[in-house]
Amino acid sequence: RLAERHRPGRDAPPPSAATVSDLIDRYLELHAKSPGKTKAATLAMLKVDAIGSVRLAALSALSFRDFVDRRAKAGAGGVTIASDLSTISAVLKWGRHARRLDLPVDLPIDARRDLPYRGLRTRSVERAREPTDAELARLYAYWEGNARQRIDMPMVCRFALASAMRLGEICRIQIEDVNVIARTVVIRDRKDPNQKQGNDQTVPLLPDAWAIVGPLLKHRSNGSIFQVRAESVSTAFTRACQSLGIEDLHFHDLRHRATADLFRMGLDIPRVALLTGHKTWAQLKRYTDIKPADVHATLAAKQRPTRAKK
């Protein structure tokens, strides 16, 4: 047990026998009772890795050098290792600031910074994959011809393309969150790297999205609109792609296409950001794939003469 004794004006030294694994246990007990799946898996890995048995008082740059060596040898890429180090850093910072323990919080940060010098890429390769019209047609036909398919996958996919929402956001929408008069919906706890909860956002439902949602409201007054689980939709999408031989396509790629389509429609950055929930252009840019032809098409549409009223 990490029962530290504080000295006035100074952080307390960690108990001599306390290990990184012990600190993770306390972190989970007092701070992160319900971490996400990825974070929970990372913390579990750290506990069984050799670094988990290192005494807090004995942590050094060599501890993290060896940790990186082990992870790289096991096949982890630079992005994954960088994420591991960020998780360790978060635990140590919690120990420093919440428990007032004298811990080397800079060591994992330094190790993360050094990864590129070891030939490890720390940034994900940005995806530019969008489903084509032909691929979507094949997927819709596959689901519509499958009598055992319980989820209305074509409807969910069409809504994703019409709304640019994430799968989890789509599956969380409640009928009570839809404003029929304004044709808007409140997206609860929208993803935000700086705010994990309470980031509710009201967004407009564009005509194609409303054409899907409107009929679903006629005979129900509460509950989930689509009545599906994100995991089930993701599984159905992956299986269909595998059955049809459609390579390297994920459900999230629908959001990529939907966002690019919003720009192709001529919407500006603030309006697209309102729909997608992105906070900065840097976050939004990776979802766009505007080609020169798209620019010409938008200008041509704006310059097309309107018919004179009779």
Side-chain angles (χ1 to χ4, degrees):
R1 182 177 178 83
L2 298 178
E4 58 269 16
R5 291 175 297 175
H6 295 282
R7 287 173 290 176
R10 297 184 61 182
D11 292 329
S16 59
T19 64
V20 172
S21 181
D22 294 329
L23 184 64
I24 291 174
D25 286 338
R26 290 290 278 167
Y27 174 80
L28 289 170
E29 177 187 349
L30 300 177
H31 176 67
K33 293 184 178 180
S34 300
K37 291 183 179 179
T38 300
K39 188 172 186 178
T42 300
L43 291 170
M45 178 276 295
L46 293 172
K47 282 173 59 62
V48 299
D49 182 85
I51 201 169
S53 61
V54 175
R55 292 183 300 108
L56 294 172
L59 276 174
S60 68
L62 297 182
S63 304
F64 290 95
R65 180 203 65 184
D66 294 343
F67 171 76
V68 172
D69 286 345
R70 288 191 299 274
R71 294 293 284 142
K73 186 176 181 179
V79 175
T80 300
I81 297 173
S83 178
D84 295 342
L85 291 169
S86 294
T87 300
I88 299 175
S89 176
V91 174
L92 291 177
K93 286 180 178 178
W94 173 82
R96 161 71 68 83
H97 299 292
R99 309 306 297 166
R100 302 309 305 176
L101 292 172
D102 185 9
L103 298 171
V105 296
D106 293 333
L107 290 182
I109 298 173
D110 292 342
R112 190 182 192 282
R113 182 197 60 208
D114 293 342
L115 292 178
Y117 295 99
R118 303 185 58 172
L120 294 168
R121 185 192 298 271
T122 58
R123 292 184 178 274
S124 300
V125 177
E126 295 182 355
R127 288 179 61 83
R129 180 74 159 94
E130 293 184 24
T132 65
D133 289 340
E135 289 172 334
L136 290 171
R138 291 176 64 200
L139 286 168
Y140 296 159
Y142 173 86
W143 288 315
E144 289 167 354
N146 184 356
R148 299 177 61 185
Q149 179 63 51
R150 296 183 178 180
I151 302 174
D152 190 341
M153 287 296 295
M155 177 180 67
V156 176
C157 289
R158 289 188 175 105
F159 183 80
L161 290 167
S163 66
M165 292 184 191
R166 300 175 179 86
L167 176 55
E169 295 169 350
I170 294 172
C171 296
R172 288 200 306 271
I173 296 177
Q174 301 292 305
I175 291 177
E176 301 94 312
D177 292 331
V178 178
N179 185 320
V180 177
I181 297 176
R183 293 193 174 184
T184 61
V185 62
V186 178
I187 301 177
R188 303 291 179 184
D189 294 329
R190 198 160 205 186
K191 184 177 179 181
D192 187 331
N194 299 317
Q195 188 174 348
K196 302 301 181 182
Q197 293 182 335
N199 186 36
D200 298 343
Q201 185 178 20
T202 301
V203 301
L205 290 170
L206 299 185
D208 286 348
W210 184 255
I212 295 171
V213 169
L216 300 177
L217 305 178
K218 291 183 178 180
H219 305 294
R220 296 169 54 215
S221 59
N222 58 67
S224 169
I225 285 185
F226 295 104
Q227 298 180 301
V228 293
R229 296 172 61 249
E231 296 81 0
S232 300
V233 173
S234 181
T235 298
F237 192 90
T238 300
R239 287 177 177 171
C241 288
Q242 292 173 345
S243 297
L244 295 172
I246 298 176
E247 298 182 356
D248 190 35
L249 185 65
H250 310 303
F251 189 93
H252 195 73
D253 295 328
L254 301 182
R255 174 171 160 87
H256 187 117
R257 170 166 171 166
T259 304
D261 282 346
L262 293 173
F263 282 109
R264 293 175 184 130
M265 290 167 53
L267 294 182
D268 57 20
I269 293 174
R271 287 172 174 79
V272 173
L274 172 63
L275 287 160
T276 64
H278 292 100
K279 302 298 183 183
T280 67
W281 169 239
Q283 295 173 346
L284 184 58
K285 185 178 180 180
R286 68 185 298 266
Y287 286 93
T288 64
D289 188 20
I290 305 302
K291 300 177 176 62
D294 297 323
V295 178
H296 288 307
T298 300
L299 290 176
K302 290 184 176 181
Q303 295 172 357
R304 190 176 297 127
T306 57
R307 293 183 179 179
K309 294 183 180 179
K310 293 182 180 181

